Amino acid sequence: MQTKAILGLAEVNAILDAAQQAAEANGWQVTVAVTDDSGELLGLRRLDGAAPMTAMISAQKARTAALSHKETQVFERMINEGRTAFLSAPLEGLLEGGVPVVVDGRVIGAVGISGVKSDQDAQVAKAAVAAIG
């Protein structure tokens, strides 16, 4: 029987806390979403001042990163470089800011950030993932 690492409550809270710290250090109002490896939401934190729609977008970015095992910037870049047919894929959250959580070479979840520029969202997401190293 195989075993796998999972994101427990302690890891989810560490990710949420690290993302909040990274965002607040830059004065950014964002929402942070954390999912398991199947893209199901484990935690969500909308910082004061973050727009309501950022909750939905951050969760979609995290889900896409978890299911694809790729950072969502891959999809944004692909579409921006002309592969617009990819917009018909059954995924949402195709903007930069979704980052998978990888442990021992396996994706165990993902983080999605929404609220600032896409590259800034990704910066916060990467800081959050790094918190559980």
Side-chain angles (χ1 to χ4, degrees):
M1 180 179 299
Q2 296 183 5
T3 60
K4 69 176 186 177
I6 64 165
L7 291 173
L9 183 59
E11 292 82 18
V12 171
N13 284 329
I15 289 168
L16 292 170
D17 291 343
Q20 181 174 350
Q21 290 171 0
E24 287 178 343
N26 289 289
W28 296 335
Q29 301 165 332
V30 301
T31 297
V32 184
V34 182
T35 66
D36 65 13
D37 59 339
S38 68
E40 294 299 321
L41 195 61
L42 296 174
L44 183 92
R45 187 175 296 173
R46 191 171 108 199
L47 303 187
D48 291 344
M53 74 177 205
T54 61
M56 179 180 60
I57 294 170
S58 63
Q60 291 170 345
K61 288 179 180 183
R63 182 174 192 274
T64 296
L67 292 174
S68 69
H69 294 195
K70 296 177 180 4
E71 290 189 28
T72 54
Q73 72 176 346
V74 170
F75 305 113
E76 182 175 4
R77 188 175 302 128
M78 181 189 321
I79 293 163
N80 287 342
E81 290 175 355
R83 191 166 176 210
T84 55
F86 194 78
L87 289 169
S88 65
L91 294 170
E92 296 176 339
L94 300 175
L95 301 170
E96 186 174 4
V99 176
V101 177
V102 181
V103 173
D104 297 329
R106 292 184 142 176
V107 173
I108 65 166
V111 177
I113 308 293
S114 179
V116 287
K117 294 178 184 176
S118 290
D119 63 319
Q120 295 168 332
D121 287 342
Q123 178 183 330
V124 174
K126 290 174 184 177
V129 170
I132 63 164

